[in-house]
Amino acid sequence: MTTALRMLREHGGEGLTARRLGAALGADPSTLYRYFRGMDELTLAVGDELIGRALRGWSATDDWAADLRELGLRIHAAYLAHPQAAVLTASRVSGRAHEIAADETVLGVLHRAGFPVPVAVRIYHCFIDQTLAFAALDAAALALPEAARRADEAVWQATYARLPEETHPHIAPAAPYLVAEMNVSAYPAALDMLIESAASQLA
């Protein structure tokens, strides 16, 4: 998986081919098909590897909200560490070991908190989709060419901060805050909102 992740980092999703991976491993490309039925199965394995890395070293505490927050931040960070792989895999469902372990872990946290099963499933659904959606969004920005990413980041200061209040009465007073906020991931704040909403249901 380490070599596949490196191929994705260097060449993007379209550059991950059996031929290129085989060359990097010093093996015939056909060797790959002894372990995977095709490149799509390899893609699913890459996504599962990212989730496995997120879970590595994590252990539960007696604070369900802190546990859920740490799990979310770990999964998000694991995907952002490999943005090209994240863009390719965040929307996929593999049914592989690490993915199943993550699902069991999150549902276990919610069970220990005291949520009834239907409520726990709804919170889990929102939690994992939110985490992966932000991972895909933030990874897509990181995967851009450096010049394009910097140009996008500059728009908030170069354009939004200069809009006059006469024509944009809501954007103008918000501009300093938009400049400060919009180039930073909103995921931690969104995660906190989700956990606060869940806690209110538990209360």
Side-chain angles (χ1 to χ4, degrees):
M1 287 300 107
T2 299
T3 303
L5 286 169
R6 178 168 60 82
M7 292 289 99
L8 285 167
R9 184 174 62 250
E10 294 174 357
H11 306 289
E14 293 182 359
L16 183 63
T17 64
R19 180 186 60 79
R20 184 169 274 152
L21 188 56
L25 294 170
D28 188 276
S30 63
T31 304
L32 177 71
Y33 297 104
R34 297 179 188 173
Y35 305 97
F36 303 100
R37 288 193 294 268
M39 294 305 296
D40 190 62
E41 188 171 325
L42 173 62
T43 298
L44 296 176
V46 167
D48 196 56
E49 172 68 14
L50 295 181
I51 296 175
R53 293 184 179 199
L55 293 179
R56 197 171 297 157
W58 182 86
S59 58
T61 70
D62 58 358
D63 186 337
W64 73 267
D67 287 351
L68 195 62
R69 189 176 198 277
E70 185 181 357
L71 283 167
L73 294 175
R74 278 171 165 262
I75 295 169
H76 183 255
Y79 276 88
L80 292 200
H82 301 278
Q84 292 80 9
V87 170
L88 193 64
T89 64
S91 63
R92 303 299 302 276
V93 181
S94 73
R96 287 174 168 264
H98 294 312
E99 179 184 277
I100 292 171
D103 295 346
E104 178 70 13
T105 297
V106 174
L107 288 169
V109 167
L110 297 171
H111 171 77
R112 288 190 295 275
F115 290 101
V117 171
V119 178
V121 169
R122 186 169 67 250
I123 295 169
Y124 156 76
H125 187 186
C126 293
F127 167 81
I128 199 64
D129 277 12
Q130 181 192 71
T131 302
L132 294 176
F134 269 103
L137 176 68
D138 295 339
L142 290 176
L144 287 171
E146 181 72 10
R149 183 166 60 83
R150 290 192 178 278
D152 282 3
E153 291 173 351
V155 169
W156 295 103
Q157 179 67 59
T159 301
Y160 282 84
R162 297 181 181 181
L163 294 172
E165 192 165 0
E166 292 76 14
T167 55
H168 298 82
H170 303 297
I171 291 177
Y177 305 99
L178 291 171
V179 170
E181 287 281 340
M182 297 306 293
N183 288 327
V184 178
S185 176
Y187 177 64
L191 176 60
D192 286 341
M193 290 179 186
L194 184 147
I195 292 171
E196 289 168 9
S197 175
S200 71
Q201 296 179 59
L202 190 62

